[in-house]
Amino acid sequence: MTSEPPFGTSDTALRPATSGVRQTMSVLHGWTGLIPGWVVFIVFLFGTLAFFQQEISSWMRPEIGRGVLTQATLEKASHILEAEVPARAAWSLSLPVARGGEPLELSWRSGPQGREFRETLDPATGRPITVRETLGGGFLFSFHYNFHYMPGRIANYLVCIASLAMLLSIISGVITHKRIFKDYFTLRLDKGQRSWLDGHNVMAVLALPFHLMITYTGLVTLVFLIMPWAVLTGFPDSEAFRQEFRPRSPAIEVRSDQVAAAAPLRIVSEARAINGELPRYVATHDEDGGSGVIEAWPGLDRLGASYDTIFFRRDGTLIEPATAAGGASKTMGVMVDLHSGRFSGYLLRWLYFFSGLVGTAMVATGLILWVKKRRVNSAAAGRAAAGLWLAERLNIGVIAGSVAGVAAFFLANRLLPVRLSDRGEQEVAWLFTTWGVVFLWSLVSAPKRGWIVALAFGALLYVLVPLVNAVTTARGLFPSLVAGDWVFAGFDLSMLATSAVLALVAWHLYRRPEDDGRAKRASKAR
Amino acid sequence: MIDSVVFILSIAGFSTLMLSMPQHQRSWLGSTISPSVGRHMRRSGFLLLLLTLVVEIAASGWGEGLTVWFGWETLAGLLVVCANALHGRGKGGARK
């Protein structure tokens, strides 16, 4: 590693910073930004998409009609369970959140072998429907911290480390940026590396509160993983802590097998009265008629809402929790709410999404800047570095590859046969295969051509999504616009907008005769 | 409704802040204006942003109001930056 800072500040972009602290911070910013940067990019990209995970799920499950869950549907579900479920058998009721994206799902066990029965109802009409198997927007959400094809725990650790580095990178970046106020509004276009630096700075500074908030609260969601010591000191194991923190079963032993069972509808109403919102999932697991406890999971769609599962006896009477949530637990809950933004209405949701895009673009420009800066230096020194070669390829593979992969995920949802077994996993395979193809392409192509082709490929995939949707479903862009179905129309329009942006960037790169021409001239002039 | 007011006032606030800086005055106004006027503009800009914060919190409460406000500020700020960048684009060497 050279002593030269990977990035200069805006006015020292092309020469080393003079201040000692600032130069140290610049070096720190460069390395804490680069190495975990690719992970951070993925976390930001998929996390940003996850702000719309329910809307994405709605699009990916076109069999579910428009409209929210009605009381009539709930009553129907409750009647089915009352009629079909034998006494003391297990049953469950999965409720869609208010934003939709999921059907109302019932399951129960019946018969001598305890065979499992399932019924899927349209939330608005209550009609039985068959929904294609898909992981939906939930996969994009889960991928942003669990990744895929690896144990979730390891992924969580990687995300933790990357987030810590991101926090370090944000703080060192602010210190490195010495004209933070003077250059607050400065974005010089068509100036090569300086334009990239201006863009990086502007996106970092203008959304700084969001970047800090989302990184910090993201770490809070995984706090027990990175700081387990307090828990391990106070509790024999993490399961004991979990039982105390957010119990999975009631604190007292319950015997209620002799009482008459309450209707599932009543449990739903009671849980709604307690939390001020519909529960997400109501179930009883006891197949042998044991304790007869019914649990209701919280809906989590309200800022500061409770994260605790509510427990009922079989007859529907509430089992009082042993302890109420304390200050620390509530604070953590609010921070997690702030991170996930599940409480937000459409306006705030779009603002979250927009800020997330700015964060994603900031990370991408940072990664690209690192390479651009190094390329100028290595050209000046007349040597090519292996690290630079790799970073350049990783940039294309990760940035353009993941973006293209998401489009393939949506295309797979429409193109794979509806009855395919393991269909959800197949959609995910499309995502990663596409991503992998872009990655391989980046390895064999020259960087500039690699970028252009990868971005154009992404643009093509995104423009195909609304087209394929229009062909394979009756809910294409024009019918949706006419019907005022803003979830479907908004999804298709977002695909077209993404395609346009990717095509514009590819076109812009294609039009530029010499990559980094200005930067090289500036470097020689120094 | 209240959000469009917050958004428009935020754009006005950021524009005022931008025009209080000499390098942007040269680009937009052709010359610099007196430093005392610049200082007044800077104060007015900050006051406008403060006003949007007060309005948003009055409308949506502390928790959600603050969250929404930061979102609007980012959006408004970026719009002003983009306008500034496109304005400066045609001028080439005219800007510092």
Side-chain angles (χ1 to χ4, degrees):
Chain A
M1 193 175 103
T2 61
S3 62
E4 201 172 340
F7 298 122
T9 51
S10 158
D11 60 338
T12 57
L14 306 168
R15 56 198 153 82
T18 42
S19 152
V21 174
R22 198 160 269 143
Q23 182 171 352
T24 313
M25 285 298 157
S26 176
V27 172
L28 180 68
H29 183 72
W31 291 102
T32 56
L34 180 80
I35 305 298
W38 294 295
V39 177
V40 173
F41 177 83
I42 292 165
V43 173
F44 260 77
L45 176 70
F46 286 84
T48 300
L49 292 170
F51 286 132
F52 280 118
Q53 61 163 317
Q54 296 306 132
E55 289 72 20
I56 291 171
S57 289
S58 292
W59 188 89
M60 294 181 82
R61 299 191 179 103
E63 295 86 0
I64 305 173
R66 294 172 62 197
V68 293
L69 180 66
T70 57
Q71 186 67 21
T73 307
L74 263 180
E75 279 167 18
K76 182 175 175 184
S78 187
H79 289 153
I80 294 174
L81 287 176
E82 279 177 279
E84 302 288 338
V85 183
R88 295 193 287 279
W91 57 267
S92 77
L93 188 59
S94 280
L95 291 85
V97 297
R99 279 157 56 214
E102 289 137 25
L104 184 73
E105 281 180 303
L106 299 74
S107 82
W108 65 90
R109 291 190 182 278
S110 182
Q113 276 90 42
R115 195 158 80 83
E116 190 176 23
F117 291 85
R118 287 178 176 279
E119 182 81 83
T120 305
L121 302 181
D122 185 281
T125 63
R127 272 198 291 271
I129 48 173
T130 308
V131 181
R132 65 187 64 198
E133 186 201 329
T134 176
L135 298 177
F139 172 76
L140 303 175
F141 168 72
S142 159
F143 183 70
H144 105 279
Y145 63 100
N146 282 334
F147 296 155
H148 201 65
Y149 303 130
M150 68 160 82
R153 177 55 67 99
I154 293 174
N156 292 165
Y157 273 118
L158 285 176
V159 171
C160 275
I161 293 165
S163 304
L164 285 171
M166 177 71 178
L167 213 49
L168 210 54
S169 192
I170 292 173
I171 294 162
S172 57
V174 169
I175 298 170
T176 308
H177 188 8
K178 79 179 179 198
R179 287 163 62 97
I180 196 161
F181 293 112
K182 268 193 170 155
D183 277 347
Y184 199 85
F185 298 105
T186 303
L187 174 57
R188 285 155 288 203
L189 300 174
D190 300 326
K191 297 251 193 295
Q193 189 183 325
R194 167 149 291 170
S195 299
W196 284 98
L197 184 59
D198 280 349
H200 181 67
N201 287 342
V202 159
M203 287 186 282
V205 173
L206 281 169
L208 187 60
F210 175 82
H211 301 325
L212 274 173
M213 178 281 282
I214 211 75
T215 310
Y216 186 80
T217 54
L219 279 166
V220 168
T221 64
L222 295 170
V223 68
F224 297 123
L225 195 69
I226 40 170
M227 296 173 73
W229 306 286
V231 168
L232 293 177
T233 308
F235 296 87
D237 55 44
S238 57
E239 195 47 44
F241 167 71
R242 162 84 210 203
Q243 182 61 23
E244 181 77 19
F245 179 56
R246 286 189 186 140
R248 284 182 181 144
S249 57
I252 53 167
E253 201 178 318
V254 176
R255 300 293 309 178
S256 55
D257 45 335
Q258 296 308 314
V259 300
L265 185 66
R266 180 165 159 220
I267 306 289
V268 170
S269 313
E270 297 267 338
R272 170 154 52 182
I274 291 168
N275 268 350
E277 59 179 355
L278 278 174
R280 189 101 174 72
Y281 179 73
V282 179
T284 175
H285 299 296
D286 304 295
E287 297 170 53
D288 55 356
S291 62
V293 170
I294 302 170
E295 60 184 47
W297 297 8
L300 301 179
D301 274 346
R302 211 161 48 82
L303 182 60
S306 169
Y307 275 77
D308 293 331
T309 302
I310 307 170
F311 299 102
F312 297 91
R313 292 184 186 82
R314 186 187 298 281
D315 62 354
T317 52
L318 178 71
I319 302 170
E320 294 288 343
T323 50
S329 167
K330 278 185 181 162
T331 306
M332 182 181 176
V334 168
M335 282 191 180
V336 175
D337 286 343
L338 198 56
H339 183 84
S340 61
R342 271 189 288 224
F343 62 91
S344 44
Y346 272 104
L347 193 73
L348 180 53
R349 187 164 301 281
W350 274 104
L351 289 173
Y352 257 113
F353 181 73
F354 176 76
S355 298
L357 283 185
V358 172
T360 311
M362 173 193 70
V363 177
T365 49
L367 289 169
I368 291 166
L369 254 175
W370 193 95
V371 166
K372 280 198 173 289
K373 168 81 178 156
R374 291 302 162 109
R375 200 196 293 147
V376 172
N377 289 349
S378 101
R383 59 183 159 74
L388 178 64
W389 186 91
L390 184 67
E392 210 158 26
R393 266 63 185 184
L394 275 169
N395 275 354
I396 303 173
V398 170
I399 298 171
S402 59
V403 172
V406 171
F409 180 61
F410 296 146
L411 283 173
N413 178 265
R414 289 296 190 260
L415 293 175
L416 287 172
V418 172
R419 303 232 166 265
L420 190 71
S421 70
D422 210 16
R423 193 175 186 282
E425 199 54 41
Q426 297 287 329
E427 289 178 4
V428 173
W430 275 48
L431 193 165
F432 290 110
T433 307
T434 308
W435 191 340
V437 165
V438 174
F439 218 106
L440 290 177
W441 162 253
S442 77
L443 293 181
V444 298
S445 165
K448 189 181 167 185
R449 212 161 62 107
W451 272 114
I452 295 171
V453 172
L455 291 168
F457 176 58
L460 176 71
L461 291 182
Y462 275 94
V463 82
L464 280 176
V465 174
L467 295 178
V468 169
N469 177 43
V471 173
T472 54
T473 72
R475 300 176 75 176
L477 179 55
F478 289 108
S480 299
L481 280 172
V482 171
D485 182 351
W486 290 110
V487 171
F488 267 63
F491 186 98
D492 281 358
L493 288 172
S494 303
M495 294 296 112
L496 293 176
T498 310
S499 174
V501 169
L502 293 177
L504 259 172
V505 178
W507 176 246
H508 184 75
L509 279 175
Y510 176 73
R511 281 289 302 276
R512 281 177 64 183
E514 194 198 344
D515 203 21
D516 278 333
R518 284 165 209 268
K520 267 180 204 148
R521 277 198 295 283
S523 156
K524 272 178 200 146
R526 137 159 82 108
Chain B
M1 176 57 207
I2 210 76
D3 283 293
S4 39
V5 171
V6 165
F7 185 46
I8 290 164
L9 285 183
S10 301
I11 292 176
F14 276 121
S15 308
T16 313
L17 275 179
M18 179 184 76
L19 288 177
S20 76
M21 298 159 98
Q23 77 257 38
H24 301 305
Q25 289 163 4
R26 269 193 290 273
S27 157
W28 286 87
L29 311 171
S31 65
T32 53
I33 48 180
S34 85
S36 73
V37 176
R39 269 197 301 278
H40 282 303
M41 287 181 75
R42 196 165 67 206
R43 254 175 245 148
S44 317
F46 276 121
L47 273 177
L48 271 171
L49 296 186
L50 193 67
L51 179 69
T52 60
L53 177 63
V54 172
V55 169
E56 189 62 65
I57 287 173
S60 319
W62 275 102
E64 199 157 335
L66 262 182
T67 321
V68 175
W69 183 77
F70 276 118
W72 283 128
E73 296 320 289
T74 299
L75 190 57
L78 276 177
L79 271 181
V80 172
V81 167
C82 288
N84 191 33
L86 291 174
H87 181 74
R89 184 177 215 174
K91 305 210 161 191
R95 302 181 60 231
K96 188 202 83 86

